[in-house]
């Protein structure tokens, strides 16, 4: 069976996973959010092969998730900095962290704590409705087709499980 390029699937989850779903990429993003921005520091922290790190950083740059900035002129040295597109992945990482803390932390507890600057308390990722700010869970939402939805590889049955949007309700954009 031919491998389907996730970018060709009419699904935002598939397209996102196609870019950031490779096993090293979320860890590279974690380190960038923690302020580790230089190639050698990333390589050393992750214990990743240089060629693999080069490939992942190139893909992140190609998708405008990171950009390079010169931090030293002679010799020229660059660091990797998250773009707006990259910073927008922060909630994704915090939700992965929250899930891992809940289900995989073990007896010692979570390996990281996230402290919210505004209140000074340890916090975790929570998904809330963009309209009313109430928590969003699998039990209190329904999924409906969006304007970009279409059939094809990777969504063979999805369309059969979605109810049309109620009359007069605009799709989220």
């Amino acid at each position: 069976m031919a491998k389907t390029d996730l970018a060709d699937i009419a699904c935002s989850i598939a397209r996102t996973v196609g870019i950031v779903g490779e096993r090293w990429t979320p860890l590279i993003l974690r380190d960038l959010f923690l302020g580790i921005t230089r190639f050698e520091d990333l390589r050393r922290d992750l214990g990743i092969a240089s060629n693999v790190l080069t490939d992942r950083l190139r893909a992140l740059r190609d998708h405008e998730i990171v950009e390079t900035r010169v931090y030293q002129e002679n010799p020229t040295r660059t660091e990797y900095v998250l773009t707006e597109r990259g910073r927008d992945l922060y909630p994704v990482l915090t939700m992965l962290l929250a899930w891992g803390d809940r289900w995989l932390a073990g007896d010692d507890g979570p390996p990281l704590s996230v402290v919210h600057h505004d209140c000074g308390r340890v916090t975790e990722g929570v998904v809330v409705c963009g309209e009313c700010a109430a928590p969003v869970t699998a039990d209190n939402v329904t999924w409906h087709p969006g304007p970009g939805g279409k059939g094809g590889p990777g969504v063979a049955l999805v369309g059969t499980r979605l109810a049309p949007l109620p009359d007069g309700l605009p799709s989220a954009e």
Side-chain angles (χ1 to χ4, degrees):
M1 175 180 254
K3 183 178 174 183
T4 301
D5 185 350
L6 295 178
D8 295 336
I9 296 175
C11 171
S12 294
I13 294 171
R15 292 171 180 165
T16 303
V17 168
I19 296 169
V20 299
E22 190 282 332
R23 73 183 195 138
W24 286 108
T25 302
L27 299 176
I28 293 167
L29 291 169
R30 175 206 64 195
D31 279 8
L32 291 171
F33 277 111
L34 291 172
I36 302 171
T37 60
R38 296 178 181 177
F39 184 92
E40 186 55 32
D41 292 340
L42 289 163
R43 190 202 61 73
R44 189 172 56 249
D45 185 61
L46 296 169
I48 187 174
S50 294
N51 63 317
V52 174
L53 180 57
T54 297
D55 290 346
R56 300 306 169 257
L57 288 168
R58 182 181 302 117
L60 290 171
R61 193 177 58 239
D62 290 349
H63 287 91
E64 300 176 5
I65 293 169
V66 300
E67 61 189 16
T68 56
R69 288 199 189 140
V70 174
Y71 69 86
Q72 178 180 307
E73 291 292 338
N74 192 10
T76 301
R77 301 262 191 242
T78 58
E79 63 183 342
Y80 294 87
V81 180
L82 291 159
T83 63
E84 180 181 6
R85 190 181 271 200
R87 288 187 306 276
D88 276 353
L89 286 165
Y90 187 76
V92 176
L93 291 179
T94 60
M95 294 312 298
L96 286 172
L97 178 66
W99 188 90
D101 286 351
R102 179 172 181 190
W103 297 106
L104 305 173
D107 295 338
D108 291 339
L112 290 173
S113 292
V114 178
V115 176
H116 185 234
H117 290 164
D118 291 353
C119 69
R121 306 281 308 258
V122 172
T123 189
E124 65 180 23
V126 177
V127 178
V128 297
C129 175
E131 296 296 321
C132 71
V136 173
T137 69
D139 298 324
N140 68 7
V141 298
T142 55
W143 296 39
H144 300 273
K150 60 183 177 199
V155 290
L157 297 177
V158 168
T160 66
R161 306 282 172 115
L162 301 178
L165 280 173
D167 287 336
L169 188 62
S171 63
E173 293 183 26

